[in-house]
């Protein structure tokens, strides 16, 4: 793993003493000050709310250059993977570090096919959820529930066959997600059909009804592969950092993924894709007046934010949003869908990108801005959009959990704090 200490040093002057700290340089030239000895040598800690400036680990999985809008998985540009790969191959790449050869690919694909069903007793869990339950709540609970039936990873330190857990998660998460959709619309669960591709099987479980034949549309299958590839990893984002945090305590992989799903649900993170469509619908109901909405999003006194815009790392156009915007046009043309919300999204983007408020803050469309329009065109409801994000992000979460488990420097993640509460006082007796 790269990230070598160089001869460059950082010198801190504290209380008249000089503290020398090593500088780490990554394989793409990123530089970080290694503060792992700071408290021991100076008594000081650092403070960085939201970890805006803080690296939590070295990692070789995903590279982002936010200023230039670059995203690569294991060195491959996202544009090339989106154009040439599929989600199963990209998942293998993220988790194992290299593209699979034909034998590795076939073995991985067959294993994912083999593990598509869930334990039959798990079906009854769905009867306990209200039909109005948010599918992210169901997905997190059901993924955690997998660990009660599949106990091979209960003690990760003793588990010498992590591939079994990986394939169970990647394969069954589709079934869990599709079953939650069927539950919400009162249709019977549709079992996997392992003669279909990874994405084709998901579409089959989502949209087939027992009374009629169902044929997977190759263009929709292609669009879904693209969307899942684009969501597959994004270095130390909130949900991936959550998976790593839980995993650092030696929690099993199923439970760590359930934690990642809950973090992704938040509207500042993966929940934004659902919030984008809700905002576009509100604008549509208000005669499509985007300028009034943009005004609200700029107003510090309003809690409104332009969802699907802005990013902690990208201070340029999110490369994923560019690809999704083009794929959106292709998919809607193929399906013959005229979605008024797409026109509103385009107008919103144009107004915002020419407004100094957004320009000055480097706020551009992110991965969530157009993805919901595609999911909607496929027939996936708003509240399932973040579930789709979770299906895509799963190989990334798994890759980071595995990388951390294999890191000799790995230890439990336990941030410090600066205490600002009451000084010592006695209990009134
Ligand atoms: C994802 O980290 C990842 O990699 C995440 C992700 C992944 O693949 O895992 O890329 C997926 O989560 C994408 C982001 C989805 N979230 C949204 O679209 C929600 C809307 N966006 C914002 O909430 C915000 O931009 C964040 C949360 C994405 C980033 O927040 P930051 O980095 O903490 O930035 P900030 O809140 O400090 O904002 C800086 C300034 C502020 O204004 P000032 O105080 O400087 O005057 O920009 C403003 C903010 O008010 N701002 C926005 C805005 N986003 C930031 N103003 C209006 N609308 C917005 N969307």
């Amino acid at each position: 793993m790269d990230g070598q200490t160089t001869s460059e040093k950082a010198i801190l002057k504290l209380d008249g003493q000089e503290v020398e700290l090593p500088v780490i340089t990554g394989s793409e030239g990123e530089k970080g000050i290694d503060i792992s000895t700071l408290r021991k040598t100076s008594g000081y800690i650092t403070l960085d709310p939201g970890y805006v400036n803080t690296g939590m680990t070295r990692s070789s999985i995903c590279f982002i250059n936010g200023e230039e809008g670059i995203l690569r998985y294991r060195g491959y540009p996202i544009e090339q993977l989106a154009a040439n790969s599929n989600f199963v191959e990209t998942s293998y790449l993220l988790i194992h570090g290299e593209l699979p050869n034909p034998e590795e690919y076939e073995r991985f694909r067959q294993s994912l096919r083999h593990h598509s069903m869930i334990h039959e007793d798990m079906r009854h869990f769905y009867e306990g959820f209200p039909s109005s339950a948010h599918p992210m709540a169901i997905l997190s609970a059901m993924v955690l529930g997998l660990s009660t039936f599949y106990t091979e990873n209960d003690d990760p330190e003793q588990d010498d066959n992590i591939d079994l857990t990986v394939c169970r998660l990647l394969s069954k998460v589709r079934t869990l997600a599709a079953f939650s959709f069927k539950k919400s619309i009162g249709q019977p669960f549709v079992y996997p059909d392992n003669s279909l591709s990874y994405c084709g099987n998901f579409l089959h479980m989502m949209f087939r009804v027992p009374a009629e034949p169902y044929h997977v549309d190759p263009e929709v299958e292609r669009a879904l592969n693209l969307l899942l590839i684009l969501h597959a990893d994004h270095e130390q984002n909130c949900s991936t950092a959550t998976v790593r945090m839980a995993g650092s305590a030696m929690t099993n992989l199923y439970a760590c993924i359930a934690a990642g799903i809950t973090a992704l649900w938040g509207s500042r993170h993966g929940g934004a894709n659902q919030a984008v469509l809700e905002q576009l619908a509100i604008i549509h109901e208000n005669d499509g007046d985007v300028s009034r909405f943009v005004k609200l999003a700029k107003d510090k006194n309003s809690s409104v934010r332009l969802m699907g815009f802005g990013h902690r790392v990208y201070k340029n156009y999110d490369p994923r949003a560019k690809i999704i915007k083009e794929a959106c046009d292709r998919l809607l043309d193929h399906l013959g869908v005229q979605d008024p919300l797409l026109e509103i999204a385009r107008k919103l983007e144009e107004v915002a990108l020419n407004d100094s408020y957004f320009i000055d803050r480097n706020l551009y469309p992110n991965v969530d801005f157009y993805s919901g329009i595609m999911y909607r065109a496929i027939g996936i409801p708003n509240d399932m959009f973040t579930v789709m994000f979770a299906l895509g992000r799963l190989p990334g979460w798994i890759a980071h959990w595995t990388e951390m488990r294999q890191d000799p420097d790995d230890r439990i993640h336990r941030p410090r704090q600066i205490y600002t509460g009451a000084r010592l006082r006695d209990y009134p007796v």
Side-chain angles (χ1 to χ4, degrees):
M1 189 181 292
D2 214 323
Q4 300 307 318
T5 308
T6 63
S7 57
E8 191 181 359
K9 300 285 180 217
I11 310 283
L12 278 180
K13 289 192 168 53
L14 299 166
D15 285 344
Q17 58 169 342
E18 280 202 355
V19 178
E20 193 173 275
L21 296 167
V23 170
I24 304 275
T25 301
S27 49
E28 289 291 341
E30 292 168 296
K31 290 185 182 292
I33 301 169
D34 180 346
I35 58 170
S36 49
T37 60
L38 179 64
R39 190 168 188 280
K40 198 163 53 182
T41 51
S42 73
Y44 282 65
I45 64 165
T46 59
L47 186 62
D48 185 19
Y51 305 118
V52 178
N53 306 284
T54 298
M56 71 184 288
T57 185
R58 296 174 172 87
S59 178
S60 57
I61 299 169
C62 176
F63 173 68
I64 300 175
N65 178 318
E67 285 67 34
E68 295 176 33
I70 291 173
L71 170 59
R72 299 183 198 137
Y73 295 164
R74 300 286 189 179
Y76 294 100
I78 192 66
E79 294 79 5
Q80 294 181 23
L81 290 170
N84 304 299
S85 185
N86 65 47
F87 182 61
V88 169
E89 184 186 64
T90 296
S91 297
Y92 186 98
L93 169 67
L94 285 167
I95 294 167
H96 296 284
E98 297 295 336
L99 289 167
N101 63 37
E103 294 73 30
E104 290 164 335
Y105 178 75
E106 190 52 29
R107 200 162 45 242
F108 188 57
R109 194 168 68 91
Q110 288 307 336
S111 184
L112 292 182
R113 287 185 165 191
H114 177 71
H115 289 289
S116 59
M117 289 182 67
I118 60 174
H119 192 292
E120 193 62 8
D121 288 352
M122 289 193 81
R123 283 173 50 103
H124 304 303
F125 290 16
Y126 287 88
E127 291 155 21
F129 293 114
S131 54
S132 60
H134 195 289
M136 281 296 274
I138 296 178
L139 186 66
S140 182
M142 293 305 286
V143 165
L144 188 55
L146 287 175
S147 67
T148 64
F149 288 87
Y150 309 105
T151 58
E152 76 281 354
N153 191 252
D154 269 3
D155 179 358
E157 287 191 296
Q158 303 306 322
D159 181 9
D160 54 8
N161 182 15
I162 186 65
D163 285 347
L164 174 58
T165 306
V166 169
C167 288
R168 279 176 164 159
L169 270 165
L170 284 170
S171 190
K172 296 179 196 304
V173 74
R174 295 171 295 172
T175 312
L176 297 175
F179 281 13
S180 68
F181 173 59
K182 288 300 196 188
K183 155 94 186 174
S184 72
I185 57 175
Q187 285 186 3
F189 294 167
V190 172
Y191 282 72
D193 172 351
N194 291 344
S195 68
L196 297 169
S197 72
Y198 185 93
C199 288
N201 210 347
F202 174 71
L203 292 167
H204 158 83
M205 290 188 278
M206 284 284 287
F207 300 118
R208 186 177 189 284
V209 288
E212 290 164 16
Y214 174 78
H215 301 292
V216 175
D217 179 333
E219 282 309 306
V220 173
E221 191 177 10
R222 195 186 325 278
L224 187 54
N225 259 299
L226 177 81
L227 285 164
L228 295 181
I229 288 172
L230 292 173
H231 286 81
D233 193 49
H234 216 238
E235 56 143 274
Q236 305 308 321
N237 60 84
C238 178
S239 53
T240 299
T242 301
V243 170
R244 280 179 172 259
M245 175 69 84
S248 76
M250 216 46 79
T251 304
N252 72 71
L253 182 52
Y254 295 108
C256 292
I257 298 301
I261 292 168
T262 53
L264 184 71
W265 192 1
S267 63
R268 286 179 174 173
H269 192 11
N273 58 14
Q274 175 178 345
V276 168
L277 264 290
E278 288 160 359
Q279 281 186 352
L280 294 175
I282 291 168
I283 297 171
H284 183 50
E285 285 149 23
N286 289 274
D287 307 321
D289 178 5
V290 297
S291 48
R292 195 174 72 82
F293 196 86
V294 168
K295 192 161 173 286
L296 262 178
K298 291 159 56 180
D299 178 358
K300 284 291 160 230
N301 300 317
S302 96
S303 60
V304 170
R305 283 206 159 181
L306 190 48
M307 302 312 274
F309 252 73
H311 199 278
R312 172 61 61 75
V313 177
Y314 288 123
K315 301 309 170 192
N316 200 322
Y317 211 103
D318 184 331
R320 302 167 296 178
K322 260 186 210 153
I323 299 169
I324 292 174
K325 185 177 176 183
E326 289 159 15
C328 192
D329 289 339
R330 283 199 306 274
L331 179 67
L332 270 65
D333 287 347
H334 168 75
L335 294 172
V337 168
Q338 298 284 334
D339 188 342
L341 301 191
L342 177 57
E343 291 321 308
I344 291 174
R346 286 197 181 114
K347 255 171 61 181
L348 199 48
E349 176 186 356
E350 191 191 344
V351 168
L353 292 186
N354 289 288
D355 184 300
S356 60
Y357 173 91
F358 295 90
I359 295 168
D360 296 348
R361 291 168 178 78
N362 296 308
L363 302 176
Y364 292 86
N366 59 48
V367 67
D368 294 313
F369 193 64
Y370 285 104
S371 54
I373 304 269
M374 290 183 74
Y375 292 135
R376 188 171 129 100
I378 292 172
I380 296 170
N382 284 15
D383 66 2
M384 281 282 291
F385 290 179
T386 313
V387 168
M388 299 308 297
F389 196 141
L391 263 64
R393 186 51 50 88
L394 182 54
W397 287 334
I398 292 170
H400 283 273
W401 186 91
T402 309
E403 182 180 67
M404 183 181 68
R405 300 271 336 97
Q406 293 162 354
D407 181 351
D409 293 340
D410 176 48
R411 53 202 310 196
I412 192 166
H413 297 179
R414 203 275 185 218
R416 305 304 293 259
Q417 64 165 25
I418 296 291
Y419 176 69
T420 57
R423 304 292 306 275
L424 174 63
R425 52 184 171 168
D426 295 325
Y427 185 83
V429 290

